[in-house]
Amino acid sequence: MTNSLDPKELLAEYDAQARVFEAFGPVGATVHWDGPLKRTSGMASGGFITYRDLAGLQGDDLDALIARQVAFFRERGEKFEWKTRGHDLPADLTDRLLAHGFAAEDPETVVVGLAAPYATEAPALPADVTIRQTADRDDYRKIADLNTAAWGQDLSWLETMLAEESTPDSLDVFVAEADGKVVSAAWIRYLPGSQFAGLNGGTTLAEYRGRGIYKALVAVRAAKAIERGYKYLHVDCTEDSRPILQRLGFVAITTTTPYVWRP
């Protein structure tokens, strides 16, 4: 499947619409603005910094901006993520983040696709696998357990994160089940006021991979996006999911690397 999408045009739309979504804030979170930065604190997963661009700040001015964010979260004793993109300016931003005590996590590829082509395809699933939508806290715990088992690290905070963010306008969550257990899970995050919805999750237990579950979860979430009036899907994808998404027709537009500061 191909969408004949221009990566440069998609990147411009992504920068303009999907990087800073002012209407979004998890239940219980606090949002502040510091110049071009949107700073969100008080979430189960830790704080978060995002922005459309850095308004031309560089040198000492950029260092001062970074230092203010560190001071804010240090006072709270809260870790936070500064989400960079590969085309961010100035070019020495990441060096400055490292100098302020941040640590880089694994880079991911940002891919974008039109929702409509995926929403019109009926998901093909193995006979023993079913997908259902959920807003149940017990399912959120199962999703956290699934991710902890699949990635070999404590991701129990996902239960609280999903509960915090699962409002009717912000998030739809899906689980794939086989033999009475959750074997894969994914969610779609809506960006109100934009044409973009973000696909997250998609982790599948190793013994159930390669059976079309991930693709089916893309399809059901694309249908939800169209139902809600969204045009584009975007994904920050690992090297596990990137080849699948690109085979489906998603277009790579940039990279993203989380820089995390811990108290």
Side-chain angles (χ1 to χ4, degrees):
M1 179 189 299
T2 59
N3 289 331
S4 300
L5 299 174
D6 184 303
K8 291 182 179 179
E9 292 179 3
L10 286 178
L11 180 59
E13 294 290 340
Y14 171 82
D15 279 343
Q17 297 187 49
R19 292 188 60 169
V20 177
F21 28 101
E22 299 191 23
F24 173 77
V27 175
T30 301
V31 175
H32 296 98
W33 287 86
D34 186 344
L37 301 183
K38 180 184 178 183
R39 182 177 66 214
T40 306
S41 58
M43 298 185 294
S45 55
F48 195 78
I49 296 288
T50 191
Y51 46 91
R52 183 169 291 115
D53 58 56
L54 293 174
L57 292 176
Q58 54 187 320
D60 291 344
D61 291 335
L62 180 54
D63 277 331
L65 181 68
I66 296 170
R68 288 199 300 273
Q69 313 319 308
V70 171
F72 175 87
F73 284 102
R74 178 183 287 121
E75 184 175 349
R76 296 175 56 88
E78 183 178 358
K79 78 166 186 176
F80 73 105
E81 175 185 323
W82 184 301
K83 188 174 179 64
T84 68
R85 273 71 169 193
H87 62 291
D88 281 347
L89 295 174
D92 65 353
L93 168 63
T94 54
D95 291 336
R96 293 180 184 276
L97 291 173
L98 292 172
H100 282 270
F102 289 77
E105 299 199 337
D106 292 339
E108 297 177 324
T109 302
V110 180
V111 299
V112 175
L114 291 169
Y118 314 111
T120 57
E121 291 189 348
L125 281 172
D128 60 336
V129 177
T130 58
I131 289 176
R132 62 179 172 85
Q133 187 173 350
T134 183
D136 185 86
R137 184 68 182 248
D138 188 55
D139 282 329
Y140 298 160
R141 178 187 55 78
K142 293 176 182 177
I143 292 169
D145 291 345
L146 160 72
N147 280 270
T148 295
W151 296 105
Q153 56 180 296
D154 181 10
L155 296 172
S156 57
W157 54 265
L158 278 170
E159 176 187 347
T160 304
M161 184 207 78
L162 290 170
E164 287 176 345
E165 296 189 23
S166 291
T167 65
D169 295 327
S170 64
L171 204 71
D172 283 323
V173 182
F174 297 87
V175 293
E177 292 178 308
D179 302 319
K181 68 177 180 180
V182 173
V183 299
S184 185
W187 48 98
I188 179 168
R189 181 176 283 111
Y190 305 107
L191 310 185
S194 82
Q195 295 178 296
F196 283 80
L199 303 187
N200 301 105
T203 297
T204 304
L205 291 178
E207 60 268 33
Y208 289 90
R209 293 173 189 167
R211 301 178 65 187
I213 297 173
Y214 184 92
K215 182 178 179 181
L217 284 167
V218 171
V220 296
R221 287 177 291 168
K224 276 290 183 180
I226 291 297
E227 179 183 316
R228 289 174 175 261
Y230 289 88
K231 180 178 180 180
Y232 296 111
L233 303 173
H234 75 91
V235 190
D236 297 347
C237 57
T238 66
E239 284 305 294
D240 291 325
S241 55
R242 181 189 57 78
I244 302 172
L245 290 164
Q246 289 189 306
R247 283 196 297 270
L248 289 174
F250 282 74
V251 176
I253 60 169
T254 188
T255 59
T256 179
T257 304
Y259 281 75
V260 177
W261 183 91
R262 291 177 170 84

